[in-house]
Amino acid sequence: MKAAKTAYFVDGYHGGIKGHMPLGSWADVIRRLENRPDWRISLDIEPISWEALRRTDPASYAKLKRYLLDEADSRVEMVAGSYAQPFGWVIGGESNIRHLLRGREIIQEHFPGLTVDTYATQEPCWTSSLPQILRSLGYRRAVLKNPGTAWGGYAAGFDAETVLWTGPDGTSIPCVPRYACEELVNCWETEAGYMEPSFVDKCVERGIPHPVGSFLQDLGWPARPKLDGEEIRYVTWREYMDRIAEKPSREWHVTQEDIRGALPWGEATLQRMAREVRAAENNLVQTEKLAALASVLRGFPYPAEKLRQAWDQLLLAQHHDAWICATTREGRDKWAWQAGAETWEAERLCGEIRDGAADCWRNEPDEEGSACGVRVWNTLGTPRKELTEVEVPAPEGTTAYIVRNREGQRIPSQLTPTRIYRPDGSVNAGKLIFEAETPAMGFASYTVEPVSGDAAKDGQAARAQATVRDGRVEIHTDLYAIRIDTARGGVVTELFDKKRSRSVTPESGGNDFFNEYVGYMIDQERWASSTEGPVSVELKENGPLRVVLEMKGSFAGVPFATSLSVAAGQRRIDFGAKFHYEKETWIGDPWDIEPENRTTERRKSHHNDRFKLQAKFPVPLRNRKVFKNSAFDVTEGRHADTHFERWDDIKHNLILNWVDVYDEERNEGFALFSDHTTGYAHSEEGSLSLVLGWGWEGGFWWGKCPLKGVQEIRYSVLPHGDRWDRAGVQQESASWNEPLVPVFGQWSEPGESNSLMFVTDPSVEIASFQRGGR
């Protein structure tokens, strides 16, 4: 008789008070631990849950503490320890770090001396740069398995008991992979969640003598071991990797494309939440830098506690369930509503900190407004020279502002009124735009003077100018010549790069147009395009430094508005799109799912980006390579296209900050930036496009998702020569995410300028800048 093979299994729980931790659940778990000496568990619990447990069930809190700190018989292991178990692939690098730092800090408050050195999660909470982050924080091992909750994605497979997971910088960490032979089951789990004998046999035949499975159950489920059977041996991840599994002998260079995450990109609620999270993320990183600068240079009391509160709010908004369950629950319990409230509070705190930091340099105001100026902060590690914009008040009679640098030289400027005095029409308040030159990680100061009449006519040459005539718009800057066809939905028919003397747009006669909106209208059973009708045009700004125009039209009956902004000296071209769905609208792959099949059907409408509402960017590049950024990483794409329809065939089609198409033969590229994590589509012969909207049947928790109300997005494009790293694509992204910070006021030292530090290599990015102690 053939001896049964041992199946190792890591059981346990994930979740916590934010998602699911009903009173009595821990008492239930501990009772099972006492009654089943063979049961061992690993815990991936939101650290804020421990304070709630201490208050509501002190006896269970004390018993669990004893289990966790029992080194002689370690049956309970705390793993990961992140603040909110975030999907690392949808957030930035600094957020990934803060989840681990803040989580471990709270864990130590409750369980002093507890070692958390295994990174393992129930959901696909990974990103490709984790080996370096984990190693630097003292983690000794990691796991790329999520057999029981793969709704939002899973890792690629590798047949080995352990591997050296190697990150982009070359740092490695011992890791248990999802086996290549570990098949996907239903539409949310893998074979390793059940460890059937046939699966165990298959693993052994593939050279995996000690196969391991896992299922970190939802906290609150009835407390009992997930599996039963004589062949099942319960272990913790630490025990399995240190005492049982073979040591890693092979490296696995995991790229971002090996992390196969999928969410319904374009869904209105998810898109809105993603934009709010990104805005708060950028704001908080920059605010922290400004606070440190003001603290060191001016004695501003460093607001460590207020920054901690803001980070806590942002980290909660990045909770994994906020993304995968965005539309579930009702009212204020709705995940997306809570994420919106949390990001709002984070940004409110940022506003208070920024005001306090700036106030350190201000004079007490006087009625004359003497010595008024604009102080411009730069939070990047390299000097910058670019346009900045600040709102300014103006005395009656003002028609322009004169801006001067600390040497008294006049700086080109532009004033766009936002409010006027009546009846003379002079400027009451407006947006002052000028070209600021700032040192790295510091600030520069400019004096500003309201003027009128002849003094306002300085004769400065227009470096950005637009004309509207005969159904088209023509824009010229020192970098670009742009032509827009207003009769065909405002598409860009010509984008000429003056520096490289080449056209970025395709030759006429093609089927796709630059910044054309395309999508499949399900109710109308047809493909629709923004080129089907004309747009009206309003010039919001028209030089001499910046052109901003707004175009309004209709997309298959849906009103939309497109904004386009180009500026002197600015390589990036900025767009905005706003769609107003006056009634429930359905755009996407018309693949439907019967309600009873929502939890098992693998094909889903939202996987197919080709049918979604998207902005298309056909560029005349051949022999294409695709590069895209993620947290502290840039990945070269290896797929011929991004298209897939099924959960078991996910391809990485995510844009975190940017994606770049590069023609190696011509040494030219084209980068696309997004203001939030979303999907993009690309094929070797087709357009690069950005997902703007999707509404149809999403399966499992999502169900029917109509597009309703106002949906908007900001995005930018950057034509360039050379490959992304030599072309400064990441630096351009950093500048977009951390714009110059101008503040108008009366300053105690009007001409002051200062720089605290700089980097000599522009490829070095200052991701975080804080003050600690002295």
Side-chain angles (χ1 to χ4, degrees):
M1 186 174 178
K2 189 177 180 181
K5 298 180 179 71
T6 300
Y8 298 91
F9 197 75
V10 178
D11 206 351
Y13 294 91
H14 87 125
I17 195 67
K18 178 74 174 170
H20 33 74
M21 194 181 85
L23 185 62
S25 55
W26 282 111
D28 212 1
V29 170
I30 292 166
R31 179 178 61 84
R32 284 288 185 174
L33 282 169
E34 292 170 344
N35 294 338
R36 283 284 302 263
D38 65 315
W39 196 34
R40 295 169 181 265
I41 58 174
S42 294
L43 302 177
D44 180 20
I45 305 298
E46 301 148 15
I48 58 174
S49 306
W50 303 127
E51 180 58 28
L53 181 63
R54 186 190 65 80
R55 289 197 320 267
T56 60
D57 189 353
S60 294
Y61 175 87
K63 289 179 181 179
L64 182 62
K65 186 173 185 177
R66 174 169 53 81
Y67 273 110
L68 283 165
L69 298 176
D70 185 355
E71 296 183 359
D73 183 21
S74 183
R75 295 175 57 198
V76 180
E77 180 186 9
M78 188 87 74
V79 296
S82 66
Y83 192 78
Q85 304 162 39
F87 293 150
W89 38 277
V90 301
I91 59 177
E94 193 58 29
S95 290
N96 272 279
I97 291 173
R98 298 305 177 94
H99 275 282
L100 294 170
L101 286 175
R102 183 68 178 126
R104 287 153 66 91
E105 178 184 6
I106 296 173
I107 288 170
Q108 289 304 311
E109 291 172 0
H110 286 273
F111 311 111
L114 178 66
T115 298
V116 181
D117 57 3
T118 304
Y119 186 82
T121 62
Q122 174 65 7
E123 304 201 24
C125 301
W126 315 300
T127 191
S128 53
S129 60
L130 269 178
Q132 181 186 23
I133 295 172
L134 295 174
R135 279 297 203 182
S136 69
L137 296 178
Y139 288 84
R140 297 177 57 195
R141 59 194 77 80
V143 179
L144 278 169
K145 277 183 182 286
N146 61 320
T149 312
W151 299 100
Y154 42 84
F158 195 106
D159 275 339
E161 284 194 2
T162 60
V163 295
L164 285 173
W165 174 7
T166 304
D169 71 315
T171 301
S172 296
I173 189 169
C175 173
V176 176
R178 179 176 82 84
Y179 310 139
C181 66
E182 185 179 326
E183 293 184 14
L184 302 171
V185 181
N186 291 313
C187 66
W188 73 85
E189 55 191 347
T190 77
E191 287 183 292
Y194 298 93
M195 300 305 285
E196 297 287 350
S198 59
F199 172 64
V200 175
D201 290 343
K202 179 171 59 173
C203 291
V204 173
E205 291 167 3
R206 296 290 187 98
I208 305 168
H210 310 99
V212 65
S214 177
F215 199 122
L216 301 187
Q217 306 175 57
D218 279 9
L219 185 60
W221 286 2
R224 58 173 176 261
K226 179 67 178 174
L227 302 182
D228 281 311
E230 294 181 1
E231 74 284 0
I232 300 295
R233 176 179 166 184
Y234 283 104
V235 290
T236 63
W237 279 121
R238 183 186 291 127
E239 178 187 7
Y240 174 77
M241 296 183 70
D242 288 359
R243 302 179 188 175
I244 299 166
E246 295 178 339
K247 300 305 177 189
S249 60
R250 291 181 286 175
E251 282 192 335
W252 185 18
H253 291 266
V254 176
T255 76
Q256 198 69 9
E257 288 197 340
D258 290 310
I259 299 165
R260 297 172 182 174
L263 290 173
W265 305 117
E267 195 279 327
T269 303
L270 181 65
Q271 187 196 68
R272 183 171 59 252
M273 192 194 78
R275 296 186 76 228
E276 292 166 351
V277 166
R278 174 65 54 76
E281 202 171 29
N282 291 338
N283 192 344
L284 187 43
V285 166
Q286 190 171 44
T287 296
E288 196 171 56
K289 293 179 179 181
L290 291 168
L293 283 170
S295 178
V296 172
L297 296 176
R298 199 68 178 183
F300 175 54
Y302 189 68
E305 177 60 21
K306 190 172 286 188
L307 284 167
R308 183 195 64 74
Q309 293 172 11
W311 271 109
D312 284 357
Q313 292 296 318
L314 172 61
L315 299 182
L316 286 175
Q318 294 169 337
H319 190 287
H320 61 284
D321 279 339
W323 293 82
I324 204 166
C325 307
T327 60
T328 61
R329 301 178 173 179
E330 296 296 330
R332 292 186 177 184
D333 289 331
K334 194 169 189 172
W335 280 104
W337 188 96
Q338 290 188 8
E342 287 152 356
T343 52
W344 183 90
E345 176 62 9
E347 294 207 71
R348 186 193 68 79
L349 290 166
C350 286
E352 290 184 359
I353 294 168
R354 288 185 180 220
D355 288 345
D359 285 347
C360 291
W361 278 277
R362 292 183 189 274
N363 271 340
E364 285 297 316
D366 61 60
E367 292 184 9
E368 299 301 320
S370 60
C372 275
V374 178
R375 188 147 290 174
V376 184
W377 276 267
N378 172 18
T379 56
L380 300 186
T382 51
R384 295 161 74 176
K385 185 177 182 180
E386 59 193 66
L387 294 191
T388 190
E389 172 188 319
V390 63
E391 291 187 346
V392 293
E396 191 172 3
T398 299
T399 56
Y401 257 97
I402 292 177
V403 182
R404 299 185 189 277
N405 62 16
R406 62 182 302 181
E407 288 78 29
Q409 298 169 328
R410 187 167 180 178
I411 304 300
S413 63
Q414 173 180 323
L415 181 64
T416 301
T418 55
R419 184 181 175 92
I420 61 172
Y421 289 101
R422 299 185 185 278
D424 71 348
S426 61
V427 178
N428 183 192
K431 292 184 295 184
L432 178 61
I433 303 159
F434 64 96
E435 190 172 60
E437 191 166 0
T438 58
M441 199 59 73
F443 64 89
S445 299
Y446 296 84
T447 59
V448 295
E449 177 189 353
V451 294
S452 60
D454 292 339
K457 301 174 183 177
D458 64 348
Q460 60 181 333
R463 295 166 57 196
Q465 196 78 41
T467 58
V468 182
R469 62 171 177 266
D470 300 329
R472 68 183 184 187
V473 181
E474 292 189 359
I475 304 171
H476 287 271
T477 75
D478 49 355
L479 299 182
Y480 300 111
I482 302 171
R483 183 178 296 119
I484 295 169
D485 188 342
T486 61
R488 290 189 288 184
V491 296
V492 176
T493 55
E494 174 71 18
L495 171 54
F496 188 80
D497 186 334
K498 295 180 179 179
K499 294 295 183 183
R500 274 173 291 279
S501 298
R502 61 133 179 172
S503 180
V504 179
T505 44
E507 296 179 3
S508 60
N511 295 322
D512 295 336
F513 295 91
F514 196 91
N515 203 44
E516 174 190 5
Y517 302 142
V518 177
Y520 188 81
M521 308 299 292
I522 293 175
D523 283 347
Q524 300 177 27
E525 298 183 336
R526 71 179 186 94
W527 290 93
S529 166
S530 55
T531 62
E532 295 171 1
V535 292
S536 62
V537 178
E538 180 183 359
L539 276 173
K540 300 282 189 178
E541 298 175 16
N542 194 12
L545 297 179
R546 187 170 73 183
V547 170
V548 177
L549 59 89
E550 183 179 69
M551 299 175 285
K552 293 183 178 180
S554 176
F555 175 85
V558 177
F560 74 86
T562 300
S563 64
L564 184 149
S565 173
V566 287
Q570 180 176 289
R571 300 168 63 206
R572 199 182 66 244
I573 301 170
D574 297 332
F575 291 90
K578 181 184 293 186
F579 289 81
H580 186 191
Y581 300 99
E582 297 170 331
K583 60 181 181 179
E584 290 190 352
T585 303
W586 310 97
I587 304 177
D589 180 359
W591 174 260
D592 212 346
I593 302 174
E594 294 299 326
E596 61 269 22
N597 297 330
R598 281 176 176 167
T599 59
T600 55
E601 175 58 61
R602 298 186 184 191
R603 179 178 171 182
K604 297 183 176 70
S605 169
H606 65 78
H607 290 332
N608 194 339
D609 283 348
R610 287 173 288 190
F611 286 75
K612 294 181 180 181
L613 175 62
Q614 52 195 296
K616 307 197 81 169
F617 299 97
V619 287
L621 300 176
R622 300 290 181 262
N623 308 298
R624 296 182 178 191
K625 290 188 175 182
V626 176
F627 298 91
K628 47 195 168 186
N629 87 315
S630 56
F632 302 133
D633 191 10
V634 175
T635 293
E636 180 179 345
R638 56 176 180 253
H639 299 298
D641 59 61
T642 58
H643 307 316
F644 68 97
E645 297 180 347
R646 294 167 56 89
W647 167 82
D648 52 2
D649 191 30
I650 296 172
K651 296 180 185 178
H652 188 281
N653 64 347
L654 274 74
I655 176 171
L656 180 71
N657 297 104
W658 57 265
V659 60
D660 185 68
V661 178
Y662 174 61
D663 185 331
E664 195 168 28
E665 288 188 8
R666 294 175 59 180
N667 196 28
E668 294 179 350
F670 179 84
L672 173 62
F673 304 85
S674 172
D675 71 346
H676 70 292
T677 303
T678 187
Y680 76 95
H682 176 260
S683 63
E684 288 181 336
E685 301 302 323
S687 297
L688 173 68
S689 61
L690 183 68
V691 169
L692 304 181
W694 168 82
W696 189 237
E697 170 61 62
F700 55 101
W701 291 301
W702 296 90
K704 280 290 193 290
C705 300
L707 291 164
K708 185 77 167 67
V710 175
Q711 192 170 356
E712 56 184 308
I713 179 177
R714 290 173 51 242
Y715 53 98
S716 296
V717 299
L718 173 66
H720 62 84
D722 230 323
R723 204 176 71 167
W724 71 270
D725 46 344
R726 297 185 291 268
V729 172
Q730 176 61 25
Q731 290 84 353
E732 194 70 35
S733 176
S735 295
W736 197 42
N737 291 329
E738 293 187 41
L740 295 175
V741 181
V743 180
F744 175 85
Q746 294 177 343
W747 306 104
S748 55
E749 299 176 48
E752 185 183 7
S753 179
N754 213 327
S755 174
L756 198 57
M757 67 174 293
F758 66 94
V759 294
T760 54
D761 185 343
S763 67
V764 175
E765 186 173 304
I766 299 177
S768 172
F769 193 70
Q770 308 164 54
R771 177 169 184 157
R774 298 183 64 183

